[in-house]
Amino acid sequence: MSKHFASGSNAVRGLTLEIADGQTCVLIGPSGCGKTTTLRMINRLIDPDSGHIYVDGVDNLTVDPAALRLKMGYVIQQTGLFPHMTVGDNVATVPRLWGWDRGRIRSRVDELLELVGLAPDEYRARYPHQLSGGQRQRVGFARALAADPPILLMDEPFGAVDRITRDRLQQEFIRIQRSLRKTVVFVTHDIDEAVIVGDRICLLKMQAEVAQYDTPERILTHPSSDYVTEFLGRERLLRRMSVARIDTGSLERGTPRHDEPRIALSSTLTAAFAAALASPTERVAVYDGDRYAGAFTATSLLESLRREGGEGGEQVAAGV
Protein backbone atom coordinates (compact mmCIF):
# COMPACT_ATOMS: atom_id res chain seq x y z
CA MET A 1 0.00 0.00 0.00
CA SER A 2 1.08 3.59 -0.57
CA LYS A 3 0.21 7.07 0.73
CA HIS A 4 1.17 10.34 -0.94
CA PHE A 5 0.51 13.69 0.76
CA ALA A 6 -0.31 17.01 -0.90
CA SER A 7 3.02 18.43 0.29
CA GLY A 8 4.65 16.19 -2.30
CA SER A 9 6.07 13.61 0.09
CA ASN A 10 5.56 9.88 -0.15
CA ALA A 11 4.93 8.81 3.44
CA VAL A 12 4.44 5.16 2.49
CA ARG A 13 5.42 3.62 -0.82
CA GLY A 14 4.65 0.03 -1.73
CA LEU A 15 4.55 -1.40 1.80
CA THR A 16 3.64 -5.09 1.98
CA LEU A 17 3.37 -6.59 5.44
CA GLU A 18 1.62 -9.59 6.98
CA ILE A 19 0.85 -9.80 10.69
CA ALA A 20 -0.07 -13.05 12.39
CA ASP A 21 -3.17 -13.38 14.52
CA GLY A 22 -2.44 -12.93 18.23
CA GLN A 23 1.04 -11.47 17.74
CA THR A 24 2.53 -8.09 18.61
CA CYS A 25 4.11 -6.55 15.52
CA VAL A 26 6.32 -3.55 16.28
CA LEU A 27 6.87 -0.88 13.62
CA ILE A 28 10.14 0.94 14.19
CA GLY A 29 12.33 3.22 12.16
CA PRO A 30 13.62 6.79 11.90
CA SER A 31 11.32 9.77 12.41
CA GLY A 32 9.15 10.41 9.37
CA CYS A 33 9.53 6.92 7.91
CA GLY A 34 5.76 6.29 7.79
CA LYS A 35 5.12 4.34 11.01
CA THR A 36 2.17 6.41 12.24
CA THR A 37 0.80 6.85 8.72
CA THR A 38 0.75 3.07 8.33
CA LEU A 39 -1.04 2.69 11.66
CA ARG A 40 -3.65 5.30 10.75
CA MET A 41 -4.36 3.59 7.43
CA ILE A 42 -5.19 0.35 9.22
CA ASN A 43 -8.22 1.89 10.97
CA ARG A 44 -8.92 4.31 8.10
CA LEU A 45 -8.20 7.54 9.89
CA ILE A 46 -6.61 8.09 6.50
CA ASP A 47 -7.07 5.96 3.40
CA PRO A 48 -4.25 4.60 1.22
CA ASP A 49 -3.86 6.03 -2.27
CA SER A 50 -3.21 2.55 -3.59
CA GLY A 51 -3.22 -0.97 -2.25
CA HIS A 52 -5.47 -2.73 0.22
CA ILE A 53 -5.52 -3.69 3.90
CA TYR A 54 -7.12 -7.00 4.81
CA VAL A 55 -8.20 -8.29 8.21
CA ASP A 56 -9.31 -11.92 8.22
CA GLY A 57 -9.67 -11.70 4.44
CA VAL A 58 -11.93 -8.62 4.49
CA ASP A 59 -10.80 -5.47 2.68
CA ASN A 60 -10.93 -2.54 5.13
CA LEU A 61 -12.03 -0.22 2.30
CA THR A 62 -15.31 -2.15 2.11
CA VAL A 63 -16.08 -1.53 5.80
CA ASP A 64 -17.65 1.66 7.17
CA PRO A 65 -14.81 3.58 8.88
CA ALA A 66 -16.77 4.27 12.07
CA ALA A 67 -17.76 0.61 12.42
CA LEU A 68 -14.21 -0.45 11.67
CA ARG A 69 -12.75 1.77 14.42
CA LEU A 70 -15.19 0.41 17.00
CA LYS A 71 -13.61 -3.00 16.42
CA MET A 72 -10.04 -1.76 16.84
CA GLY A 73 -8.62 -0.46 20.08
CA TYR A 74 -6.45 2.63 19.58
CA VAL A 75 -3.87 3.87 22.11
CA ILE A 76 -1.80 7.00 21.53
CA GLN A 77 1.05 8.68 23.38
CA GLN A 78 -1.11 11.47 24.80
CA THR A 79 -3.76 8.91 25.90
CA GLY A 80 -6.61 11.01 24.40
CA LEU A 81 -8.69 10.75 27.57
CA PHE A 82 -11.72 13.04 27.80
CA PRO A 83 -10.79 15.51 30.58
CA HIS A 84 -14.40 16.21 31.60
CA MET A 85 -15.20 12.51 32.10
CA THR A 86 -14.28 10.25 34.98
CA VAL A 87 -11.95 7.31 34.59
CA GLY A 88 -14.92 4.96 34.60
CA ASP A 89 -16.75 6.95 31.93
CA ASN A 90 -13.62 7.14 29.77
CA VAL A 91 -13.18 3.37 29.87
CA ALA A 92 -16.90 2.89 29.15
CA THR A 93 -16.85 5.03 25.97
CA VAL A 94 -16.95 2.25 23.35
CA PRO A 95 -19.29 -0.11 25.28
CA ARG A 96 -21.77 2.79 25.51
CA LEU A 97 -21.56 3.28 21.76
CA TRP A 98 -22.25 -0.44 21.35
CA GLY A 99 -25.38 -0.03 23.49
CA TRP A 100 -24.35 -2.20 26.44
CA ASP A 101 -26.56 -2.01 29.52
CA ARG A 102 -25.30 -0.22 32.64
CA GLY A 103 -24.62 -3.34 34.64
CA ARG A 104 -22.53 -4.90 31.93
CA ILE A 105 -20.61 -1.66 31.39
CA ARG A 106 -19.84 -1.22 35.09
CA SER A 107 -18.69 -4.83 35.37
CA ARG A 108 -16.42 -4.45 32.33
CA VAL A 109 -14.95 -1.16 33.58
CA ASP A 110 -14.10 -2.69 36.96
CA GLU A 111 -12.64 -5.78 35.29
CA LEU A 112 -10.36 -3.70 33.07
CA LEU A 113 -9.23 -1.35 35.82
CA GLU A 114 -8.20 -4.40 37.82
CA LEU A 115 -6.44 -5.78 34.75
CA VAL A 116 -4.28 -2.67 34.34
CA GLY A 117 -3.51 -2.44 38.05
CA LEU A 118 -5.89 0.34 39.12
CA ALA A 119 -8.26 -0.49 42.00
CA PRO A 120 -11.79 0.32 40.71
CA ASP A 121 -13.09 1.71 44.01
CA GLU A 122 -10.12 4.06 44.19
CA TYR A 123 -9.85 5.20 40.57
CA ARG A 124 -13.26 4.78 38.91
CA ALA A 125 -14.56 8.22 39.97
CA ARG A 126 -11.33 10.16 39.46
CA TYR A 127 -10.71 12.52 36.56
CA PRO A 128 -7.67 12.39 34.25
CA HIS A 129 -6.05 15.47 35.83
CA GLN A 130 -6.01 13.62 39.16
CA LEU A 131 -3.82 10.83 37.73
CA SER A 132 -0.11 10.50 37.08
CA GLY A 133 1.15 10.09 33.53
CA GLY A 134 1.57 6.36 33.98
CA GLN A 135 -1.93 6.01 35.41
CA ARG A 136 -3.41 7.90 32.46
CA GLN A 137 -1.61 5.54 30.09
CA ARG A 138 -3.11 2.57 31.95
CA VAL A 139 -6.59 4.09 31.64
CA GLY A 140 -6.02 4.68 27.92
CA PHE A 141 -5.02 1.05 27.50
CA ALA A 142 -8.07 -0.11 29.46
CA ARG A 143 -10.34 2.03 27.28
CA ALA A 144 -8.85 0.48 24.13
CA LEU A 145 -9.66 -2.99 25.50
CA ALA A 146 -13.16 -2.11 26.67
CA ALA A 147 -15.22 -3.78 23.93
CA ASP A 148 -12.74 -6.67 23.60
CA PRO A 149 -11.50 -5.71 20.10
CA PRO A 150 -9.49 -8.34 18.23
CA ILE A 151 -6.92 -5.74 17.11
CA LEU A 152 -5.04 -3.09 19.09
CA LEU A 153 -3.22 -0.19 17.45
CA MET A 154 -0.69 1.47 19.74
CA ASP A 155 1.17 4.61 18.65
CA GLU A 156 4.13 5.19 20.98
CA PRO A 157 1.79 4.54 23.93
CA PHE A 158 4.48 4.82 26.61
CA GLY A 159 6.58 7.56 25.06
CA ALA A 160 5.34 10.43 27.24
CA VAL A 161 6.34 9.00 30.62
CA ASP A 162 9.66 8.66 32.45
CA ARG A 163 11.88 5.62 31.94
CA ILE A 164 10.97 3.87 35.21
CA THR A 165 7.24 4.25 34.56
CA ARG A 166 7.77 3.21 30.95
CA ASP A 167 9.53 0.01 32.02
CA ARG A 168 6.63 -0.83 34.34
CA LEU A 169 4.05 -0.15 31.63
CA GLN A 170 5.95 -2.36 29.19
CA GLN A 171 5.94 -5.23 31.66
CA GLU A 172 2.23 -4.65 32.34
CA PHE A 173 1.52 -4.75 28.61
CA ILE A 174 3.49 -7.99 28.23
CA ARG A 175 1.59 -9.56 31.13
CA ILE A 176 -1.79 -8.58 29.70
CA GLN A 177 -0.89 -9.57 26.14
CA ARG A 178 0.23 -13.02 27.27
CA SER A 179 -3.23 -13.47 28.75
CA LEU A 180 -5.38 -11.88 26.03
CA ARG A 181 -3.31 -12.57 22.87
CA LYS A 182 -4.64 -9.66 20.84
CA THR A 183 -3.25 -8.85 17.40
CA VAL A 184 -1.24 -5.70 18.16
CA VAL A 185 0.44 -3.20 15.86
CA PHE A 186 2.80 -1.22 18.09
CA VAL A 187 4.68 1.88 16.90
CA THR A 188 7.83 2.96 18.71
CA HIS A 189 11.13 4.73 18.00
CA ASP A 190 12.90 2.83 20.80
CA ILE A 191 14.66 -0.40 19.73
CA ASP A 192 14.88 -1.57 23.35
CA GLU A 193 11.11 -1.28 23.68
CA ALA A 194 10.64 -3.08 20.37
CA VAL A 195 12.78 -5.99 21.55
CA ILE A 196 10.94 -6.23 24.86
CA VAL A 197 7.32 -6.11 23.67
CA GLY A 198 7.43 -7.46 20.11
CA ASP A 199 6.83 -10.96 18.79
CA ARG A 200 7.96 -9.61 15.41
CA ILE A 201 9.78 -6.38 14.60
CA CYS A 202 9.37 -4.53 11.31
CA LEU A 203 12.34 -2.20 10.92
CA LEU A 204 11.57 0.46 8.33
CA LYS A 205 13.58 2.83 6.19
CA MET A 206 12.12 6.06 4.82
CA GLN A 207 8.78 5.79 2.97
CA ALA A 208 8.07 2.63 4.99
CA GLU A 209 10.50 0.48 3.04
CA VAL A 210 11.00 -2.73 5.01
CA ALA A 211 14.66 -3.20 6.00
CA GLN A 212 13.99 -6.38 8.00
CA TYR A 213 10.88 -8.08 9.36
CA ASP A 214 11.60 -10.88 11.81
CA THR A 215 11.66 -11.96 15.43
CA PRO A 216 13.66 -9.85 17.90
CA GLU A 217 16.14 -12.72 18.26
CA ARG A 218 16.78 -12.95 14.51
CA ILE A 219 17.13 -9.19 14.05
CA LEU A 220 19.59 -8.90 16.93
CA THR A 221 21.64 -11.95 16.03
CA HIS A 222 21.35 -11.87 12.23
CA PRO A 223 20.84 -8.27 11.02
CA SER A 224 20.13 -8.40 7.30
CA SER A 225 22.11 -5.31 6.27
CA ASP A 226 24.50 -2.61 7.40
CA TYR A 227 21.47 -0.34 7.82
CA VAL A 228 19.92 -2.72 10.37
CA THR A 229 23.23 -3.13 12.21
CA GLU A 230 23.68 0.65 12.40
CA PHE A 231 20.11 1.15 13.59
CA LEU A 232 20.58 -1.38 16.40
CA GLY A 233 23.51 0.67 17.63
CA ARG A 234 26.42 -0.02 19.93
CA GLU A 235 24.29 -1.57 22.65
CA ARG A 236 23.31 -4.47 20.43
CA LEU A 237 25.14 -6.97 22.67
CA LEU A 238 23.12 -5.87 25.69
CA ARG A 239 19.92 -6.20 23.70
CA ARG A 240 20.92 -9.66 22.54
CA MET A 241 21.46 -10.65 26.18
CA SER A 242 17.99 -9.37 27.08
CA VAL A 243 16.26 -11.78 24.68
CA ALA A 244 18.70 -14.68 24.31
CA ARG A 245 18.35 -17.74 26.55
CA ILE A 246 20.93 -19.98 28.17
CA ASP A 247 22.41 -22.56 25.83
CA THR A 248 22.71 -25.88 27.65
CA GLY A 249 25.89 -26.67 25.74
CA SER A 250 27.60 -23.68 27.34
CA LEU A 251 27.10 -24.85 30.93
CA GLU A 252 29.80 -26.35 33.14
CA ARG A 253 28.95 -29.90 34.11
CA GLY A 254 29.29 -31.54 37.50
CA THR A 255 27.24 -31.35 40.68
CA PRO A 256 25.60 -28.24 42.13
CA ARG A 257 27.31 -26.42 44.96
CA HIS A 258 25.28 -25.62 48.04
CA ASP A 259 26.34 -21.96 48.03
CA GLU A 260 25.34 -21.25 44.42
CA PRO A 261 22.13 -19.34 43.67
CA ARG A 262 19.62 -21.05 41.40
CA ILE A 263 18.00 -19.85 38.18
CA ALA A 264 15.73 -21.47 35.61
CA LEU A 265 17.07 -22.69 32.29
CA SER A 266 14.50 -20.39 30.60
CA SER A 267 16.19 -17.29 32.07
CA THR A 268 17.62 -14.65 29.77
CA LEU A 269 21.38 -14.20 29.57
CA THR A 270 20.98 -10.82 31.27
CA ALA A 271 19.33 -12.42 34.31
CA ALA A 272 21.78 -15.31 34.39
CA PHE A 273 24.85 -13.08 34.14
CA ALA A 274 23.56 -10.73 36.84
CA ALA A 275 22.97 -13.71 39.16
CA ALA A 276 26.45 -15.07 38.45
CA LEU A 277 28.08 -11.72 39.21
CA ALA A 278 26.18 -11.50 42.49
CA SER A 279 27.32 -15.00 43.52
CA PRO A 280 30.44 -15.36 45.73
CA THR A 281 31.70 -18.01 43.30
CA GLU A 282 30.67 -16.06 40.19
CA ARG A 283 28.67 -19.14 39.24
CA VAL A 284 24.95 -19.86 39.29
CA ALA A 285 23.22 -23.24 39.25
CA VAL A 286 20.86 -23.69 36.30
CA TYR A 287 17.81 -25.93 36.67
CA ASP A 288 15.37 -27.26 34.12
CA GLY A 289 12.45 -27.79 36.45
CA ASP A 290 13.91 -29.97 39.21
CA ARG A 291 16.78 -31.24 37.05
CA TYR A 292 20.22 -29.69 37.47
CA ALA A 293 21.49 -28.65 34.04
CA GLY A 294 24.90 -27.21 34.96
CA ALA A 295 26.61 -24.06 36.17
CA PHE A 296 26.48 -20.74 34.36
CA THR A 297 29.61 -18.54 34.34
CA ALA A 298 31.04 -15.67 32.30
CA THR A 299 32.37 -18.26 29.86
CA SER A 300 28.84 -19.65 29.54
CA LEU A 301 27.65 -16.17 28.63
CA LEU A 302 30.10 -15.89 25.75
CA GLU A 303 29.37 -19.40 24.53
CA SER A 304 25.60 -18.84 24.68
CA LEU A 305 25.93 -15.63 22.67
CA ARG A 306 28.03 -17.42 20.06
CA ARG A 307 25.57 -20.30 19.75
CA GLU A 308 22.25 -18.55 20.10
CA GLY A 309 19.91 -17.64 17.25
CA GLY A 310 16.21 -17.69 16.52
CA GLU A 311 13.60 -18.89 14.14
CA GLY A 312 11.23 -16.58 12.33
CA GLY A 313 7.97 -16.88 10.53
CA GLU A 314 4.51 -18.01 11.50
CA GLN A 315 1.21 -18.57 9.76
CA VAL A 316 -0.39 -15.30 8.73
CA ALA A 317 -3.96 -14.59 9.82
CA ALA A 318 -4.22 -10.87 9.18
CA GLY A 319 -2.52 -8.98 6.40
CA VAL A 320 -1.60 -5.33 6.17
Side-chain angles (χ1 to χ4, degrees):
M1 60 185 177
S2 299
K3 183 63 184 179
H4 178 86
F5 289 116
S7 61
S9 63
N10 284 311
V12 177
R13 183 171 64 181
L15 174 63
T16 298
L17 182 65
E18 297 177 333
I19 300 172
D21 184 39
Q23 284 197 338
T24 298
C25 169
V26 178
L27 302 181
I28 187 169
S31 296
C33 72
K35 302 184 296 294
T36 293
T37 299
T38 298
L39 201 72
R40 290 164 66 87
M41 284 193 287
I42 294 174
N43 68 355
R44 294 191 63 189
L45 286 173
I46 56 177
D47 284 334
D49 295 326
S50 63
H52 300 272
I53 301 169
Y54 296 92
V55 177
D56 292 332
V58 178
D59 187 343
N60 278 11
L61 293 176
T62 67
V63 181
D64 176 70
L68 180 69
R69 291 170 203 144
L70 286 176
K71 296 179 180 179
M72 294 184 179
Y74 193 37
V75 187
I76 59 176
Q77 184 178 117
Q78 296 79 17
T79 72
L81 299 179
F82 300 114
H84 62 287
M85 293 169 56
T86 65
V87 165
D89 286 339
N90 265 285
V91 176
T93 300
V94 175
R96 280 200 306 270
L97 292 173
W98 279 110
W100 292 15
D101 63 66
R102 288 186 178 181
R104 184 183 178 191
I105 290 176
R106 183 179 179 87
S107 176
R108 181 61 173 164
V109 167
D110 288 358
E111 175 189 0
L112 288 170
L113 290 179
E114 290 280 5
L115 185 68
V116 299
L118 298 174
D121 290 343
E122 182 177 355
Y123 290 96
R124 188 192 308 112
R126 292 190 184 184
Y127 287 86
H129 73 272
Q130 296 173 310
L131 306 177
S132 69
Q135 289 168 344
R136 287 194 292 271
Q137 291 289 2
R138 289 170 184 263
V139 174
F141 188 32
R143 184 175 65 179
L145 293 170
D148 198 23
I151 296 173
L152 287 178
L153 308 178
M154 306 183 74
D155 192 357
E156 300 208 39
F158 311 138
V161 295
D162 62 87
R163 170 53 68 179
I164 293 176
T165 301
R166 186 174 190 169
D167 290 345
R168 291 173 179 167
L169 289 171
Q170 289 167 355
Q171 293 304 316
E172 195 76 6
F173 167 77
I174 292 168
R175 179 187 66 81
I176 293 170
Q177 175 62 345
R178 283 175 178 168
S179 171
L180 301 180
R181 299 312 304 176
K182 300 291 184 182
T183 300
V184 182
V185 187
F186 191 113
V187 167
T188 183
H189 67 277
D190 185 339
I191 186 62
D192 290 315
E193 181 168 71
V195 167
I196 290 168
V197 306
D199 295 306
R200 301 288 295 272
I201 296 174
C202 183
L203 177 52
L204 300 172
K205 298 182 180 181
M206 297 307 292
Q207 300 181 350
E209 178 186 351
V210 178
Q212 189 168 352
Y213 181 41
D214 217 324
T215 64
E217 294 89 346
R218 289 289 297 181
I219 285 180
L220 293 176
T221 58
H222 301 287
S224 63
S225 66
D226 290 342
Y227 173 85
V228 177
T229 300
E230 183 179 352
F231 191 90
L232 293 174
R234 296 179 181 178
E235 296 180 351
R236 178 182 165 209
L237 178 61
L238 297 178
R239 297 191 184 107
R240 288 175 64 185
M241 289 172 58
S242 74
V243 296
R245 307 292 170 175
I246 299 168
D247 187 288
T248 54
S250 73
L251 301 177
E252 294 184 8
R253 305 303 176 182
T255 57
R257 302 179 184 180
H258 72 278
D259 57 346
E260 289 177 351
R262 295 175 53 154
I263 60 169
L265 181 61
S266 60
S267 301
T268 64
L269 295 183
T270 299
F273 190 51
L277 289 178
S279 170
T281 61
E282 295 189 348
R283 294 159 49 99
V284 59
V286 180
Y287 281 81
D288 184 8
D290 294 328
R291 182 183 66 84
Y292 177 68
F296 184 93
T297 65
T299 300
S300 303
L301 169 67
L302 294 175
E303 285 301 311
S304 291
L305 284 171
R306 290 175 185 139
R307 297 172 185 231
E308 59 92 17
E311 295 298 325
E314 292 195 15
Q315 183 65 39
V316 170
V320 178

